[in-house]
Amino acid sequence: MKPGENVSPPAVQVPVRVTLLGSGDAFGSGGRLQACVWLAAGPAGYLLDCGASSLIALRRAGVDPNSIHAILLTHLHGDHFGGVPFFILDAQLYSRRTAPLVVAGPPGTQQRVEEAMEVLFPGSSQVRRRFEVEHVEWQDGAAVQIAGATFTPFTTCHASGATSFALRAEVAGRALCCSGDTEWCPALPRASAGADAFIVEALTFDRKLKGHLDYQTLRSHWGELTARRVVLTHLGPELLAHLGAVSCEVGFDGMELDLSPPPTSR
């Protein structure tokens, strides 16, 4: 056998990019934009949550909205889904989208989005578009394949008029988890188990708010988390005032996360 014969070519690594486009709470604390994470794997793009400021965030980061194949929502509060009506209308009026768009979220997402469109821009939900909007409803623990990626929702504890979820995204051999808004619950270590990055809410430093997670509570459960990297998001004014006392990564608008595997020894 000659050297090199019958040797399989090396696997092609699909680049995976993650950018924390919006890292703030619902009220713009610290001048931060609302919840939005951009996940890109090769030509496929996804938004995990789409707060009302998400189009601003996309354009600030130079991301073409037409590159987004799917919007994946953790829950139905305006700072997590309020950008969807604007995204759809921009796709029709300015971005001239023709490719289908998937909007996945809790049961009732389609109705909530259409109602929001009618409140903001009456008649807009009934306009005939050049592209289809496909709606997918999460079920706890049921993985969904969308545009080459796998998304698994885990029910969390946050009242939003519908079930709230943490989302685990798996694509090109990498795993990312977003907590959405939630109190500490057993779903968080399960959803983020072994993930390359866990983007998790820390609205406050130690103040307890129903349905939300504070930094000190998160630290008390640190030993239960096995993600390779933990990044705080959804930061409110109290947490921002205590950044010097935080001993893990704190996200910021435009932060890029490297999901490549750690280097292996030779």
Side-chain angles (χ1 to χ4, degrees), residues 66-242:
N66 281 337
S67 71
I68 303 301
H69 290 67
I71 299 173
L72 304 315
L73 304 174
T74 60
H75 66 285
L76 298 180
H77 274 154
D79 57 320
H80 291 258
F81 95 97
V84 177
F86 294 96
F87 189 99
I88 292 174
L89 291 173
D90 171 79
Q92 173 70 13
L93 297 173
Y94 295 113
S95 298
R96 313 296 289 180
R97 186 184 187 100
T98 57
L101 173 70
V102 176
V103 177
T109 292
Q110 179 175 357
Q111 179 180 347
R112 190 80 71 89
V113 168
E114 291 177 353
E115 289 174 348
M117 293 182 73
E118 287 303 310
V119 168
L120 296 169
F121 302 98
S124 62
S125 70
Q126 304 302 315
V127 172
R128 185 174 180 180
R129 307 185 189 99
R130 290 179 297 274
F131 62 96
E132 296 294 327
V133 178
E134 178 187 353
H135 291 272
V136 175
E137 293 190 347
W138 301 131
Q139 296 181 21
D140 181 50
V144 177
Q145 300 278 340
I146 301 174
T150 301
F151 298 92
T152 307
F154 295 79
T155 300
T156 55
C157 184
H158 182 73
S160 61
T163 307
S164 295
F165 297 92
L167 290 180
R168 182 183 181 92
E170 297 174 287
V171 62
R174 317 295 345 135
L176 171 71
C177 181
C178 292
S179 71
D181 292 358
T182 181
E183 298 176 15
W184 177 266
C185 60
L188 296 182
R190 289 191 288 112
S192 62
D196 297 285
F198 180 28
I199 300 173
V200 58
E201 177 194 23
L203 178 63
T204 61
F205 182 71
D206 58 9
R207 182 185 176 195
K208 311 302 180 190
L209 291 176
K210 186 174 179 59
H212 290 281
L213 185 57
D214 65 277
Y215 169 72
Q216 294 290 17
T217 296
L218 179 66
R219 287 296 304 180
S220 72
H221 291 278
W222 204 253
E224 300 172 48
L225 298 177
T226 58
R228 186 161 60 90
R229 186 175 184 181
V230 176
V231 180
L232 306 186
T233 191
H234 204 270
L235 310 177
E238 187 199 38
L239 191 284
L240 292 171
H242 288 81

Side-chain angles (χ1 to χ4, degrees), residues 231-257:
V231 180
L232 306 186
T233 191
H234 204 270
L235 310 177
E238 187 199 38
L239 191 284
L240 292 171
H242 288 81
L243 289 180
V246 173
S247 60
C248 62
E249 283 191 274
V250 177
F252 55 86
D253 292 0
M255 180 182 191
E256 295 191 4
L257 306 183

Side-chain angles (χ1 to χ4, degrees), residues 36-48:
C36 186
V37 176
W38 177 47
L39 169 63
Y46 317 86
L47 292 184
L48 279 68

